[in-house]
Amino acid sequence: MRLDKYICDCTGLTRSQAGKLIRQRAIVVNGAIAKQAAMKLSAGDEVQLDGEVISPIGLRYLVMNKPEGYVCGLDDPHHAAVFTLLDEPAVEKIHSVGRLDVDTTGLLLLTDDGKWSHRISSPRHHIAKTYRVWTADAISEDAAARFAEGVVLRDEPTATKPAQLELVGSHEALLTIHEGRYHQVKRMFAALGNRVERLHRERIGQLQLPTDLELGEYRPLTDAELAAVFIGND
């Protein structure tokens, strides 16, 4: 691999920025100052930037406690993206696993592994997602039964997959769904004549929102947490 390409893979810098570092004599390979961007590296070569050994960025699996007011895309001119909360190299390679609305808080996964993301987001895999819901009106007594049967959302020809509703209070419940239609939780309650006032995602698969994360904070997933996402799902 070329030296400048290796630097890019380690830092997220562009080729031109990597070349500038080499010209500034900031790159050392195996103890010697590097002079050529096209220098070929071999397995086992040690590359240092400003005295620190650098290595390629591996695939990243992050969990965030998403705060209100942030979007999961880059196409909203009125709200900041969740990616602005990340202090990561090559942050532009990271995407959210599914999306939470701007006013929805809670468990959000972020990664640069497209296959992993697709496995979680695809309806074929039936990954359960549990939300805590607060509603404007009291939740009807038949809501759990109707959600378990599936409800037809406005402008959609097919009913939702069976969902599990657990009442917490007259205006509060835990809802577990197994798909990810557009604004699904809000639209499901709207189909019952109610309105969601607050929405907070607590769990994906068997992965609970870590208690050590304050709103806006994130960290890498542990191996156990990575496995928990898929426990009990197809």
Side-chain angles (χ1 to χ4, degrees):
M1 179 185 295
R2 283 174 53 116
L3 176 59
D4 55 356
K5 174 66 165 56
Y6 183 86
I7 296 170
C8 293
D9 289 350
C10 294
T11 62
L13 297 174
T14 64
R15 284 282 185 96
S16 61
Q17 290 170 328
K20 184 177 181 180
L21 287 174
I22 295 169
R23 292 191 298 273
Q24 292 174 339
R25 302 169 66 85
I27 302 297
V28 172
V29 179
N30 297 330
I33 295 175
K35 299 179 180 179
Q36 298 293 330
M39 176 182 181
K40 294 295 185 180
L41 297 178
S42 301
D45 285 343
E46 181 184 86
V47 180
Q48 295 182 349
L49 168 58
D50 292 331
E52 294 187 8
V53 176
I54 59 175
S55 56
I57 301 168
L59 292 173
R60 290 164 288 183
Y61 306 93
L62 309 174
V63 57
M64 174 185 285
N65 187 355
K66 178 191 173 294
E68 186 176 357
Y70 288 81
V71 294
C72 296
L74 297 172
D75 51 0
D76 190 322
H78 305 296
H79 299 93
V82 292
F83 312 107
T84 62
L85 299 172
L86 302 179
D87 182 16
E88 295 287 322
V91 69
E92 70 281 357
K93 296 182 180 180
I94 297 175
H95 63 273
S96 64
V97 181
R99 296 193 176 193
L100 293 179
D101 298 340
V102 64
D103 56 352
T104 301
T105 59
L107 176 57
L108 179 67
L109 300 178
L110 303 122
T111 187
D112 46 14
D113 185 343
K115 291 183 178 179
W116 185 75
S117 174
H118 177 72
R119 184 181 174 192
I120 297 171
S121 301
S122 172
R124 293 192 302 111
H125 297 293
H126 308 146
I127 301 295
K129 303 172 184 68
T130 300
Y131 296 81
R132 186 172 295 271
V133 187
W134 292 267
T135 59
D137 301 319
I139 300 170
S140 60
E141 293 182 359
D142 65 343
R146 293 181 64 181
F147 283 166
E149 294 174 354
V151 296
V152 176
L153 305 180
R154 183 177 179 181
D155 298 327
E156 293 205 20
T158 60
T160 59
K161 294 182 182 297
Q164 294 75 49
L165 184 75
E166 177 187 344
L167 286 176
V168 177
S170 61
H171 294 66
E172 181 180 351
L174 293 173
L175 177 65
T176 300
I177 62 175
H178 304 270
E179 53 189 334
R181 302 192 193 190
Y182 180 71
H183 290 173
Q184 181 172 340
V185 174
K186 294 178 180 178
R187 294 169 68 203
M188 288 177 70
F189 277 93
L192 271 59
N194 208 336
R195 185 180 77 252
V196 173
E197 292 201 323
R198 287 177 58 200
L199 190 58
H200 180 82
R201 186 157 67 189
E202 295 194 347
R203 188 172 73 236
I204 296 177
Q206 293 302 313
L207 172 64
Q208 294 277 356
L209 176 65
T211 58
D212 62 339
L213 289 181
E214 299 292 336
L215 281 171
E217 292 184 342
Y218 77 97
R219 62 165 173 78
L221 288 163
T222 66
D223 289 343
E225 289 170 336
L226 280 166
V229 172
F230 302 103
I231 292 175
N233 298 287
D234 296 344

